[in-house]
Amino acid sequence: MQTTHGTAIRRLALGIALAGASAGTHASMGNIGTSYGIFPEDLATAQALSMFNSQVSANYYNPAALVKDERGELTQAIMHAEQELRAERPNTDNDVLSNDPSQSILLGMKTNVGSLLQSGHPIHLGFIAGVEKYGKEMLAFGSEASETGQFMRYGREPLFLSLGAGTKVWRGLSIGAASRITLDATATLNATSTLAGKTEQEELSVEAEPNIRSILGLTLNWGDTFCPDSSCFLSGFESALSFRNSSASSTAVNSNIIVKQTIPDPGLSLAVSTIDSYQPEIYAFGTQYKGNGWRAGFTVEKREWSGLEGELEADTIRDQEDASGSAARKAEFQDTVVPRIGAEMDLFGRFKLLGGLAYEESPLKSTRTPKLNYIDNDRIIAGLGLSATYERTRFLRYPVRFDIGYQYQQLEERDFTIENIDGNTQPVTADGEIHVVSGSVTLKF
């Protein structure tokens, strides 16, 4: 009886404390930048050329590339991701496990702040912000165990913030540093409740503080570095390195509940700690060649997902312990390597056609994770996009740029074993499709 009451009260405490975020959402171990791409150009090339893009999205992928365009920039984008994630199970007609769309609005800006210095050396500052549900939902957050299975990396996307700067240090060589900013929230709840769950005398305080994680980037233009005054066989080649530190949003709830006629003062103390939108450490290397009216390149990323195992051990919702307190079969993760290729071609002077391909191996080694019942698949990603420049602006100094990008993700079939709280199991075959569309408008200044 006490266990039943304790479980109910624990859920009550967590529910009240998280009410100010976004109850009922299904977030994921991912974010816009790595799941899809920040702006249409990133979607269209499957992020293969993102480390070399002149737009402010370089702030996240490679802040050294912020120096590519000396002008300031203001970009507003809107993105819609339609998901159909399936898990075929015995004795079930409907195999759609999740079709909750992700809908984000993003704003990016960069400017040269070198005029603040007496030397006048150019330093380009960039900022990106993204909000879920077209700006109506700032903190999409979800953490739960599941008896039917849950896809690990898809769902609504949490608040996306990135701030950084880049500068040239030598001919053809530029460096940059940025930060990915997530929020760590702490809630304290004191309340008196009846057995029916009706509370009174509630005291709730919620605090959030930023968690700043580093992003570093370096870009080398081989031609400008080794043959700056003439053309040579290195002209047109450009390489880049970047590092993105691991990050996650987290919530900790400390509560004290008094239940009338059951748990008297000083009450029952409960503590819940959980994470969401975890991102592993990412090391990336890329090279592109830029010709007359076209460019093509590739990027290879190493993602260290094995660090997530330690994070889950401290997660009280995903602690993966059975009723006796002994450890259950834990989720195992592996580091992955993600190859990407992409290209861009000029069309009719004012238009550019973009395309890209990528393959992402699943970081989830386990096919059976009791209580969590995580599902994750290998993914084939294809993108296509169009960029247009409108030059006949009457009041603006520079042309206006319009971009549209489409991305398709195919989740390859994979077998899992789902286990409920009673230990009963059933096999499932998971797959899915994701369609992502994004559009943006860019003003230069």
Side-chain angles (χ1 to χ4, degrees), residues 370-405:
K371 293 181 66 175
L372 289 181
N373 288 322
Y374 269 152
I375 294 174
D376 195 67
N377 307 65
D378 297 342
R379 300 187 282 181
I380 299 173
I381 303 172
L384 190 66
L386 186 67
S387 177
T389 302
Y390 182 71
E391 298 180 350
R392 296 183 179 180
T393 56
R394 295 185 178 181
F395 306 105
L396 301 177
R397 182 177 180 182
Y398 297 109
V400 179
R401 173 174 170 172
F402 299 91
D403 291 88
I404 185 169

Side-chain angles (χ1 to χ4, degrees), residues 252-263:
V253 180
N254 297 306
S255 63
N256 185 272
I257 306 295
I258 297 174
V259 181
K260 293 181 177 179
Q261 301 177 349
T262 303
I263 303 177

Side-chain angles (χ1 to χ4, degrees), residues 329-441:
R329 185 180 289 104
K330 294 188 176 183
E332 295 182 354
F333 298 89
Q334 62 183 354
D335 298 339
T336 62
V337 176
V338 182
R340 307 177 186 273
I341 59 172
E344 176 187 281
M345 180 179 294
D346 289 351
L347 296 176
F348 317 117
R350 299 178 183 176
F351 296 89
K352 294 181 180 180
L353 181 67
L354 304 96
L357 293 170
Y359 180 79
E360 294 188 18
E361 183 182 6
S362 171
L364 181 63
K365 291 177 60 177
S366 308
T367 57
R368 182 177 175 182
T369 53
K371 293 181 66 175
L372 289 181
N373 288 322
Y374 269 152
I375 294 174
D376 195 67
N377 307 65
D378 297 342
R379 300 187 282 181
I380 299 173
I381 303 172
L384 190 66
L386 186 67
S387 177
T389 302
Y390 182 71
E391 298 180 350
R392 296 183 179 180
T393 56
R394 295 185 178 181
F395 306 105
L396 301 177
R397 182 177 180 182
Y398 297 109
V400 179
R401 173 174 170 172
F402 299 91
D403 291 88
I404 185 169
Y406 167 76
Q407 188 177 101
Y408 172 77
Q409 298 190 9
Q410 174 66 55
L411 276 63
E412 298 185 314
E413 286 190 358
R414 186 179 179 187
D415 295 328
F416 291 87
T417 299
I418 302 301
E419 181 176 331
N420 63 21
I421 195 172
D422 297 322
N424 300 320
T425 63
Q426 63 173 331
V428 302
T429 300
D431 66 350
E433 296 177 339
I434 296 92
H435 302 271
V436 192
V437 178
S438 178
S440 69
V441 179

Side-chain angles (χ1 to χ4, degrees), residues 51 73 103 127 130 174 195 216 242 286 320 344 347 355 360 376:
M51 296 176 69
E73 174 184 309
Q103 304 162 328
F127 172 76
S174 59
L195 286 175
L216 304 174
S242 74
Q320 303 180 76
E344 176 187 281
L347 296 176
E360 294 188 18
D376 195 67

Side-chain angles (χ1 to χ4, degrees), residues 299-327:
T299 296
V300 178
E301 296 178 359
K302 184 178 185 295
R303 300 183 174 185
E304 298 192 344
W305 279 97
S306 55
L308 181 55
E309 294 180 15
E311 296 285 345
L312 292 182
E313 289 179 356
D315 192 314
T316 55
I317 293 180
R318 303 184 180 95
D319 56 7
Q320 303 180 76
E321 292 183 352
D322 57 28
S324 65
S326 61

Side-chain angles (χ1 to χ4, degrees), residues 25-29 140-143 151-152 154-158 276-277:
T25 66
H26 298 280
S28 64
M29 293 291 180
F141 193 103
S143 181
F151 279 82
M152 191 181 77
Y154 288 105
R156 294 184 181 177
E157 303 290 348
D276 186 68
S277 67

